[in-house]
Amino acid sequence: MSTSSDLEPPLTRAAAQAPGAGAPPSRSATRWVLLAGAVVLIALVLALLFVSTPNPDAAPTTLGFSLNSFFVWLGGLHPLLQIPIVLVVFAVVVAVLLLLIEYAPRHGKPYMWIRLVASFVIPVLAFMLLRPYQNAVLYVVAIALIAGGLLFYADYRAREGAGYFFQLVLFMAPAVIMLMIGLIVPAISTFAKSFFDKTGKNFVGLDNYVWTFTNPDGFWSVINTLIWALIAPTVSTIIGLAYAVFIDRARGEKLLKVLVFMPVAISFVGAGIIWKFVYDYRQGDQIGLLNAIITWLGGKPVGWLDAQPLINTICLLLVFIWTQTGFAMVILSAAIKGLPPEQMEAASLDGANAWQRFTNVTVPGIRTSLVVVLTTITIASLKVYDIVAVMTGGRSNTTVLGFEMVNQQQRFQSYGHSSALAVVLFIFVLPLIVYNARQMRKQREIR
């Protein structure tokens, strides 16, 4: 007969037997403390980013050493010395993390003190190495100490036993730090800058968003992006599905698929240059393929990339569809081949013709793949930049959000407008990402 103690997790029993272990912690109390600490941390980080004004000429305050000074020193060495030094530093950091992951999570007072010291020392060292300046060091130390305190508190209160949460955080910390530096902090900074003027100093409220939807450059970037997001994935998927169905039944299937898939291997810049020659328009001899055909048939050449309204946008769309159709074909062809043949046989026995089998058996059977292809191509169309930059440079109302965002920052040095365009682009992409995440979760549940 098993007792209730036999059903407890081993780490929980070990934590209960550890010196100083108290009553089982309250989850709600722990959550409220962690939530309050997270709010304070976020407030301090925002204050550090947007309220404090570090002096670029100030020296590092406490350590007298920073990552910046390390890389400056490293850059002055011979290249043959730089590689082993970087490898040694990387190996030392990894060794310390592995040592803490393996050694510190054990039970007992000595290990508890190791975790306590590590929880505070590691955040302080990490932040100080980022070279806090004289008037920012208080923010840095406060952030580091609060982060360390929350880590130790959450680890102490973990139901799985002391050391479990500490180990989990150490495993996740490198990826989370990279995510923070490369994605989360820039996203917050971009959102904040969208409410300031082009210099980033004067608060202008929603003026940048008003400019986005009223100024010709901003307005056409939004309209064209919506056109790209509606037409490009739909047409690419339909043509890709048609190829997948018919090529599977044709002779030379492999060769035909290679020919259709080849544009996928071409970069958007390369595709733009190729099609720019196709649309080329000039006085005299026409070297552009399309205008050469038109003049050969007796017509007059057309400046396709300057033709308005929306004709030039459609011309750019054709380039994108040309590069994405092969991707759609490969994914959908694999999905069709994975359908159980018994379903087709049953539909045939029921008297369904080829079209009915396609609409009632094939399409529902590959619905998940269709969703993946549509959302993937839609996200790519929302972020398009290269094709517009290479073929038109955004002239003649062909600009899109991705191009105009870069154009406003690099050409006009208008960080406020550029940030507002980036936020609008993010709002367009976000629903697709959420939808994809939900579909993936449903697939896991089904499996």
Side-chain angles (χ1 to χ4, degrees), residues 227-229 231-232 312-322 387:
I227 293 172
W228 279 71
I231 297 178
N312 46 11
T313 297
I314 300 298
C315 291
L316 300 184
L317 263 171
L318 292 176
V319 182
F320 183 81
I321 292 170
W322 180 67
I387 293 175

Side-chain angles (χ1 to χ4, degrees), residues 14 29 65 92 124 207 313 340:
F65 179 78
V92 169
V124 171
D207 287 356
T313 297

Side-chain angles (χ1 to χ4, degrees), residues 166-344:
F166 182 85
Q167 190 178 52
L168 180 65
V169 169
L170 285 178
F171 267 119
M172 296 177 60
V176 172
I177 291 172
M178 293 298 179
L179 191 65
M180 289 283 293
I181 295 174
L183 182 63
I184 297 177
V185 172
I188 296 173
S189 177
T190 300
F191 181 73
K193 287 181 179 179
S194 68
F195 298 102
F196 289 80
D197 66 354
K198 65 183 299 181
T199 64
K201 296 179 180 179
N202 302 316
F203 182 79
V204 295
L206 297 175
D207 287 356
N208 292 324
Y209 293 96
V210 173
W211 174 91
T212 299
F213 292 97
T214 56
N215 182 274
D217 291 334
F219 172 77
W220 278 108
S221 69
V222 174
I223 294 299
N224 287 333
T225 299
L226 292 175
I227 293 172
W228 279 71
L230 292 174
I231 297 178
T234 304
V235 176
S236 299
T237 304
I238 291 174
I239 298 176
L241 180 58
Y243 278 142
V245 172
F246 292 109
I247 290 180
D248 282 348
R249 302 177 182 178
R251 291 183 178 180
E253 173 191 348
K254 294 181 180 179
L255 177 61
L256 292 173
K257 284 186 175 179
V258 168
L259 293 176
V260 176
F261 188 78
M262 279 179 62
V264 181
I266 301 175
S267 68
F268 284 156
V269 173
I273 293 173
I274 292 171
W275 280 82
K276 193 172 183 180
F277 283 112
V278 174
Y279 294 134
D280 185 78
Y281 166 79
R282 62 183 64 192
Q283 298 296 330
D285 294 335
Q286 298 299 323
I287 65 170
L289 177 62
L290 189 56
N291 278 325
I293 294 173
I294 291 175
T295 54
W296 181 68
L297 295 175
K300 294 183 178 181
V302 178
W304 296 102
L305 298 180
D306 292 313
Q308 299 185 54
L310 299 179
I311 294 175
N312 46 11
T313 297
I314 300 298
C315 291
L316 300 184
L317 263 171
L318 292 176
V319 182
F320 183 81
I321 292 170
W322 180 67
T323 62
Q324 296 299 306
T325 299
F327 164 77
M329 177 203 66
V330 169
I331 301 298
L332 297 178
S333 176
I336 291 172
K337 288 181 179 296
L339 290 175
E342 295 82 5
Q343 294 181 359
M344 287 294 183

Side-chain angles (χ1 to χ4, degrees), residues 11 74-75 85 213 322 356 360 366 368 400:
L11 282 174
L74 186 66
I85 291 174
F213 292 97
W322 180 67
Q356 291 172 332
N360 297 320
I366 62 171
T368 302
V400 291

